Amino acid sequence: MNTSSVNQSKLISPISSSLDLILPQLPNYPFTEVERINGGKNSQVYRLTSHTRAQFALKIYFQHKAEQRNRLKTEFLSLKFLKDQGIKAVPKPYLKNESQGWSLYEYISGEPIRDFQVTSQDITTLVDFLLQLKNLSKHPASHDLNLASEAQLSIQGIIDNIKNRLNKLLEIPKDTIENKLLNQFLQDDLVPFLSELIVWCQPCLKEKLMDFSNEIVLEQRTLSPSDYGFHNALRQDNGELVFLDFEYFGWDDPAKMISDFLLHPARMIDFSLKQQFFSEILAGFSENKTLSTRVKIVYPLFGIKWCLILLNEFIPEQLLRRGFADINPIDKRERQAQQLAKAKQMLTQIKGDYEQFPYYY
C-alpha cells in the first residue's frame, strides 16, 4: 500500500497485510485517512476518508473453519433488503468480497449511547424499528432471508440449544484454576437450576395450552436483528438513532427478541425503560395473543443461555475471535474471571425472577 495516502497519525493500530490487499480494490482509493474504530466483538472496522472527505466504513470479519454462519453475507444482504424497503435507520451496504472476508458500508457519524443516556423516546424509537421489521416479514422478498442466528422456534429447541452450549463448556479440560472454577459453577449451580427450569416450564405450557415440541407457525415469527439494542446503535447530531450490526439478522421467535432486550448484559438501563419496552412491543404484536405468556416462560431459559454466552471466553475459538476484534486486548485470565462473575450475577438474577416475571403488561 502507498503509505503516503494514509495519515499515520490517524492509525490506531498498524496497517495489516489484509488492508494492503483490500484498500486498492475500493472506490475512492487512495484514502487520506484510515482509522481503526470500535467494531464490536467479531470484526475489525476502519473509517476510511477519501481526498474529497467522503467517508466509508470497512468491516473485516473474523473467519474460522468452526463457524457455520456466513456473518458477512448475512449482514450485507440483510442491510440491502432493509434499504431496498425504505428503512432509513441502518447503514447502506456498498460492496462485499466474501472470499477475502470484508464489506464496505456507509459510515455513520454519531455517538455511542450510554446506559444513563437512554430516554423514553429512544425506547419508542427502538420499538418502532422492530415493528417495521415485523411489517416487512409480510414482504415477499423476506422469505428469501434465513433464520436468525441460533433461532429456536420451539421450547424444546431452546433447551436443546442451551444444552449444546453447556456441553461445550463442560468438555473444557480442568487444567487451569479458571477452568476449574468454571466447571464448579456449571456443575454446582447452573446445571441443577437448568433441570429445575425444564421441570417448571412444562406445566406452565400445559396450563396455557401451548406446545413444548412444535415450532411456532410462520405467522407468529418476525424478522429480528437478533443482537440488537443501544449497544449497537449510534445517536446522530440531529438526535436520530441508527442501528448497527446485522450479522445475526433473520427470522426468529418474537419472544426471544423481547427476552434478549430485557436480559442483555451489555446494557443496564433503568427498569422503568425496560417496562416501557415490554408494554410497547407487546402492543405492537397485539394480534399474537399468546406472546406475553410465551415471553414469561422462555425468559428464564434465555437467561440461562446468556449465562453461557458470557462464558464464551473459555472456548478457544471464541478467544481467537476476541483477539481479532479487540482494539485493546486484555489478559485472558482477567477476561475469563470477569465473564464468570457476570454469569454468576446473571444466574442469581434469573433465580430471583423466574417464578414471578418482573415485567407486566
Side-chain angles (χ1 to χ4, degrees):
M1 185 183 69
N2 179 3
T3 55
S4 65
S5 68
V6 178
N7 183 340
Q8 294 293 332
S9 67
K10 292 291 186 179
L11 296 179
I12 295 177
S13 63
I15 293 292
S16 66
S17 59
S18 60
L19 280 178
D20 292 339
L21 173 67
I22 295 167
L23 292 180
Q25 303 177 52
L26 304 181
N28 294 280
Y29 178 80
F31 299 97
T32 57
E33 296 175 8
V34 178
E35 183 177 0
R36 176 84 182 270
I37 58 178
N38 185 21
K41 295 184 177 181
N42 300 305
S43 308
Q44 295 177 2
V45 178
Y46 295 86
R47 177 172 58 200
L48 312 180
T49 304
S50 74
H51 66 283
T52 64
R53 307 307 296 171
Q55 293 187 318
F56 307 89
L58 172 67
K59 188 168 185 178
I60 306 175
Y61 296 77
F62 176 79
Q63 296 178 305
H64 191 276
K65 61 183 180 182
E67 288 197 315
Q68 298 179 346
R69 186 175 184 84
N70 188 331
R71 291 177 294 104
L72 185 162
K73 183 177 181 181
T74 296
E75 181 163 44
F76 192 93
L77 294 182
S78 298
L79 288 172
K80 184 177 186 306
F81 167 76
L82 295 177
K83 278 298 187 184
D84 287 348
Q85 308 316 317
I87 301 297
K88 297 180 179 179
V90 296
K92 182 178 181 179
Y94 291 127
L95 193 65
K96 67 180 173 73
N97 187 316
E98 291 184 41
S99 63
Q100 295 178 2
W102 58 265
S103 292
L104 188 69
Y105 298 100
E106 174 187 9
Y107 175 74
I108 302 297
S109 179
E111 292 296 323
I113 304 167
R114 299 182 180 180
D115 296 351
F116 68 88
Q117 295 173 321
V118 177
T119 67
S120 176
Q121 181 55 52
D122 293 337
I123 295 293
T124 297
T125 299
L126 175 61
V127 170
D128 288 345
F129 175 67
L130 296 176
L131 295 180
Q132 284 183 299
L133 300 185
K134 171 184 175 259
N135 292 334
L136 285 179
S137 66
K138 301 178 179 66
H139 192 282
S142 70
H143 300 291
D144 295 330
L145 299 170
N146 294 324
L147 290 175
S149 178
E150 293 199 348
Q152 302 297 332
L153 303 172
S154 70
I155 307 298
Q156 180 68 69
I158 295 169
I159 292 171
D160 289 345
N161 177 259
I162 290 171
K163 288 182 176 179
N164 286 338
R165 281 185 169 270
L166 175 61
N167 288 336
K168 287 182 181 179
L169 291 167
L170 288 171
E171 291 168 358
I172 293 174
K174 296 182 283 294
D175 54 356
T176 67
I177 293 174
E178 290 75 22
N179 288 353
K180 289 176 182 177
L181 291 172
L182 167 68
N183 190 265
Q184 181 181 0
F185 167 66
L186 295 175
Q187 297 283 12
D188 294 351
D189 297 325
L190 192 143
V191 170
F193 183 61
L194 175 59
S195 299
E196 182 180 332
L197 273 185
I198 294 171
V199 172
W200 167 83
C201 75
Q202 298 193 50
C204 296
L205 290 165
K206 187 175 182 180
E207 178 185 349
K208 301 297 183 180
L209 302 179
M210 298 171 70
D211 194 88
F212 182 79
S213 301
N214 290 339
E215 295 185 346
I216 57 172
V217 297
L218 181 61
E219 291 74 22
Q220 293 181 323
R221 304 175 192 179
T222 190
L223 293 175
S224 170
S226 193
D227 183 14
Y228 74 100
F230 297 108
H231 62 293
N232 278 330
L234 294 173
R235 193 187 305 280
Q236 297 180 289
D237 289 342
N238 61 7
E240 294 183 357
L241 303 186
V242 175
F243 298 101
L244 312 172
D245 198 347
F246 288 78
E247 298 177 16
Y248 303 114
F249 183 91
W251 287 92
D252 213 338
D253 181 349
K256 176 183 181 295
M257 182 182 75
I258 294 169
S259 297
D260 278 350
F261 179 81
L262 298 175
L263 288 162
H264 204 300
R267 281 293 179 259
M268 302 298 291
I269 65 172
D270 188 78
F271 177 87
S272 64
L273 295 175
K274 289 187 176 183
Q275 176 60 63
Q276 177 189 342
F277 171 84
F278 186 58
S279 299
E280 290 186 6
I281 196 71
L282 284 185
F285 280 82
S286 58
E287 74 285 352
N288 189 336
K289 303 302 181 184
T290 63
L291 181 56
S292 176
T293 300
R294 187 174 178 85
V295 171
K296 293 174 183 178
I297 294 171
V298 302
Y299 173 85
L301 292 171
F302 284 119
I304 292 285
K305 180 174 178 178
W306 271 111
C307 290
L308 301 175
I309 292 172
L310 286 166
L311 298 171
N312 275 346
E313 314 299 331
F314 288 85
I315 299 173
E317 57 264 33
Q318 295 293 337
L319 281 172
L320 287 175
R321 182 198 303 268
R322 298 295 185 260
F324 173 82
D326 282 352
I327 292 180
N328 298 305
I330 66 172
D331 177 74
K332 181 182 79 169
R333 291 184 173 182
E334 181 182 351
R335 183 193 291 277
Q336 289 176 339
Q338 290 175 355
Q339 295 304 104
L340 181 57
K342 290 178 182 178
K344 289 180 177 180
Q345 183 179 11
M346 174 70 75
L347 187 63
T348 298
Q349 174 190 333
I350 297 302
K351 284 181 176 181
D353 285 349
Y354 84 100
E355 290 184 298
Q356 188 61 49
F357 183 69
Y359 306 95
Y360 59 88
Y361 176 59

